[in-house]
Amino acid sequence: MGKQINVALIGNPNTGKTSVFNALTGLNQKVGNYPGITVEKKEGICKLPRGVKAHIIDLPGTYSLNASSLDENVVIELLLNKNDKDFPDVAVVVSDVEHLKRNLLLFTQIKDLEIPSILVINMSDRMAYKGISLDIPYLEKQLNTKIALVSTRKNNGISELKELITNYKELSTEPCMNASSIDEAYFNNLREAFPNQLLYKLWLVITQDVNFGKTDRKTIEDVSNFKTKTNADLKRLQQKETIKRYQFINDTLKKGQTIDLKSAKDLRIRFDRILTHKVWGYLIFGIILLTIFQAIYDWSGVPMDFIDESFASLGEWVKSILPEGAFTNLLAEGIIPGLGGIVIFIPQIAFLFLFISILEESGYMSRVVFLMDRIMRRFGLSGKSVVPLMSGTACAIPAIMATRNIESWKERLITILVTPFTTCSARLPVYLIIISLVIPEGRVLGLSYQALTLMLLYLIGFGAAVGSAWILNKVLKIKSKSFFVVEMPNYKVPLIKNVALTVLEKTKAFIFGAGKIILAISIVLWFLASYGPGDDFNKAEEIVTEQHASDNLSEDELQQKIASHKLEHSFIGITGRAIEPAIRPLGYDWKIGIAIVSSFAAREVFVGTLATIYSVGSDEEETIKNRMAGEVNPILGGPLFNFASGISLLLFYAFAMQCMSTLAIVKRETNSWKWPLYQLVVMSAFAYIVALAAFQFLK
Ligand code: GDP
Ligand code: MG
């Protein structure tokens, strides 16, 4: 068997590259990142006739070879670098039958690079609907290529495409038009100066502000110095080039394509008018959003409980069958709950992406962006930030993953950084118990103070997100193109296969990207909570048994006292006590300190830790509350959880980045530790300051 054929899928955004990619590779695909940047890299294997295999890359969508974004850079770098292991033996240019004219611009440029190319005209199922017919043999001749007329939706033309790929050696590498005729003399000079280089590549190097990082440095410098024309002249030539390309394409399509508008039937215009309406548009979007979140809460509750219980019983079961010892504890109390802490996010991730990909696939998302963009842009966010920000109220993990479709890196980064401020469901247990302790029960205008406080906390979270987005937009010096939505794609019934693959891919990305980090941190936290130095920890059982020898405690009560004593003297306990001086001005004692340190794993752990420290069973909510109510402030006297310290704690949890899983996913999505650490430091510092101010002011 020979080597694999390298195939690159290239095309404008939304032409169906990913659908063609899915049709060719099925489940044989993997998704990664291009080294050092956050552009997604999708590759897969396609089995061709006669035992041949092709390695397929789904390149980011690009409008032309004039790079203006990170994504487009990736495409150009690859096409100009013959030494890249992914350099295509054949370029499959995907176009959309409804936008052939615009799509062909890129095709003519790629032809000029003399790479064997196949033109896929996708969405052929739309032709009848739009009254389009094509003269394929004529187009093949004019464009000097082979054409596959494909509908991934109807699964038409894929085997023809595979056949063309298999026989790629028969493709012509001749350009389809002569771009150098825009200035014969100049291009002749260029050809003479660099006889061994591809002419069009030289032209790109001279005119583009591309990062040619991977291509031959020396040549690039030589070529860049060979300008002989002013920049203004070059710009003018470039414009002439584009015009010439469009002239060629128009001429070709005039004969090769006929559009009979009378036979076309289009509802799109009527739909658009309603969905982007100043009142109805927002209303419909609001209803859709609410439905989605309700569904995420309702539908993921059951599987999440199931996962929670399954991992708990798995842990118990492991403990019951393995001999007692450090390894068994590591497995049953460290690794298994750690894995459970990863798996538990899957239902929410899956449901959110189910909805998002349906919204995108159907074409509705572009209308949302159109609607929301004007509002969100004032805060440095994109219209597409609405979905992550709202999903953040369920959980920041899927929400941050949902920023992937924001094209501008700056807008995406800001969305990632501010999303953890929104009130996620893990904050609820903390909020609820503290509110019930420190907020009086009365009502005003029929609304209870406690409910109002909770609502206020949601508003504060949302306000913090939007406010910090506004600041970050001013502060962050990142150049990145803010996309203007030029066109609205057609409405479509979503392809189940595409939706399913998106859900699968996001889930995999989470498990393998962030999962490792979450597992590692949970094992470390487990270790810190289960081990401690000295006799206080190691002889805990003897010490506690002796202390309470005459107290006539039940076995359960004794075990709880021992657990409490151990936690107090474990490494986490020691850390919690060590930070007491720092948190005393906030109105907290060392027990709260321990709970804060351990709830870094996840905010809801706060309540469970306090239960352990107060040695009450963690499922008896009333007892925890009673114990908390009975705690006395060691310095000031009076109840520990009073109005001032309670508000201070609420604000602390509203702002602090108390969630290792979020940090892990931010690391994955930004491809660096810089941003999660930045988030951790800034959010925690802010939380501390606000909590401090609140306590000092209220006490
Ligand atoms: P990409 O941006 O180029 O990767 O395009 P996608 O594969 O994500 O597809 C863009 C949109 O076109 C999606 O909504 C697809 O469901 C839709 N689509 C893809 N192939 C076809 C097709 O053959 N017919 C129709 N009608 N729609 C398609
Ligand atoms: Mg795609």
Side-chain angles (χ1 to χ4, degrees), residues 68-70 209 407-411 413 473 475-483:
S68 52
S69 74
L70 229 73
D209 191 15
E407 289 88 352
S408 148
W409 167 233
K410 183 171 176 180
E411 288 165 5
L413 180 64
N473 186 35
V475 174
L476 285 179
K477 292 275 168 283
I478 296 176
K479 259 204 260 160
S480 119
K481 200 156 96 169
S482 182
F483 276 72

Side-chain angles (χ1 to χ4, degrees), residues 18 22 27 29 31 40 42 349-350 352-358 360-361 401 404-405 495-510:
T18 303
N22 290 342
L27 284 172
Q29 46 175 277
V31 183
E40 204 163 56
K42 280 189 155 180
I349 292 176
L352 180 62
F353 282 100
L354 177 74
F355 289 115
I356 289 186
S357 63
I358 290 175
E360 290 212 317
E361 277 275 307
M401 293 176 69
R404 276 255 158 149
N405 65 350
L495 282 178
I496 297 175
K497 189 174 181 184
N498 283 1
V499 173
L501 280 169
T502 308
V503 171
L504 202 71
E505 179 200 300
K506 293 293 169 185
T507 313
K508 265 168 63 183
F510 169 73

Side-chain angles (χ1 to χ4, degrees), residues 456-470:
L456 214 59
L457 284 165
Y458 271 89
L459 288 180
I460 286 175
F462 196 70
V466 174
S468 48
W470 186 81

Side-chain angles (χ1 to χ4, degrees), residues 62-130:
T62 172
Y63 285 105
S64 70
L65 289 185
N66 314 343
S68 52
S69 74
L70 229 73
D71 288 21
E72 295 182 340
N73 232 329
V74 166
V75 178
I76 296 168
E77 277 197 13
L78 176 64
L79 294 182
L80 293 188
N81 185 7
K82 282 217 159 73
N83 299 323
D84 194 306
K85 69 168 178 23
D86 291 333
F87 184 80
D89 296 309
V90 51
V92 172
V93 182
V94 181
S95 63
D96 165 0
V97 71
E98 288 179 48
H99 301 109
L100 262 188
K101 181 176 159 185
R102 202 192 55 219
N103 294 171
L104 282 175
L105 181 79
L106 176 67
F107 178 79
T108 64
Q109 288 183 311
I110 288 173
K111 281 296 277 178
D112 283 353
L113 288 175
E114 300 181 11
I115 299 170
S117 308
I118 297 169
L119 179 65
V120 167
I121 301 182
N122 187 28
M123 314 212 189
S124 60
D125 54 292
R126 304 276 303 169
M127 289 171 67
Y129 187 73
K130 288 275 172 172

Side-chain angles (χ1 to χ4, degrees), residues 12-19 21 40 42 58-61:
N12 293 11
N14 270 315
T15 51
K17 283 178 308 305
T18 303
S19 307
F21 177 76
E40 204 163 56
K42 280 189 155 180
D58 181 11
L59 286 170

Side-chain angles (χ1 to χ4, degrees), residues 64-66 105-110 112-113 177-183 186-187 199-208 233-249:
S64 70
L65 289 185
N66 314 343
L105 181 79
L106 176 67
F107 178 79
T108 64
Q109 288 183 311
I110 288 173
D112 283 353
L113 288 175
M177 53 172 287
N178 181 8
S180 65
S181 65
I182 47 174
D183 189 332
Y186 181 79
F187 278 90
L199 195 61
Y200 192 59
K201 175 172 166 179
L202 296 174
W203 179 237
L204 283 181
V205 173
I206 290 175
T207 52
Q208 306 297 313
D233 279 341
L234 286 173
K235 271 259 145 1
R236 210 172 35 77
L237 278 190
Q238 245 185 309
Q239 280 160 5
K240 252 176 102 178
E241 180 199 337
T242 308
I243 293 171
K244 204 172 149 61
R245 286 186 193 280
Y246 272 126
Q247 273 170 356
F248 168 77
I249 294 167

Side-chain angles (χ1 to χ4, degrees), residues 309-415:
E309 281 158 25
S310 306
F311 275 86
S313 25
L314 182 66
E316 309 243 308
W317 180 75
V318 164
K319 261 188 141 167
S320 71
I321 59 155
L322 291 183
E324 262 182 49
F327 175 73
T328 306
N329 285 344
L330 171 66
L331 203 60
E333 293 169 1
I335 295 178
I336 291 175
L339 288 175
I342 300 166
V343 176
I344 195 123
F345 289 115
I346 291 179
Q348 287 185 335
I349 292 176
F351 284 128
L352 180 62
F353 282 100
L354 177 74
F355 289 115
I356 289 186
S357 63
I358 290 175
L359 292 189
E360 290 212 317
E361 277 275 307
S362 63
Y364 180 61
M365 198 61 107
S366 310
R367 278 75 188 179
V368 171
V369 176
F370 179 83
L371 265 182
M372 302 306 297
D373 233 28
R374 244 178 323 151
I375 306 175
M376 302 306 279
R377 205 161 289 294
R378 289 192 206 144
F379 303 101
L381 296 164
S382 137
K384 291 187 182 172
S385 310
V386 178
V387 176
L389 283 179
M390 293 295 292
S391 334
T393 54
C395 174
I397 311 287
I400 285 171
M401 293 176 69
T403 60
R404 276 255 158 149
N405 65 350
I406 302 176
E407 289 88 352
S408 148
W409 167 233
K410 183 171 176 180
E411 288 165 5
R412 182 171 160 215
L413 180 64
I414 293 181
T415 314

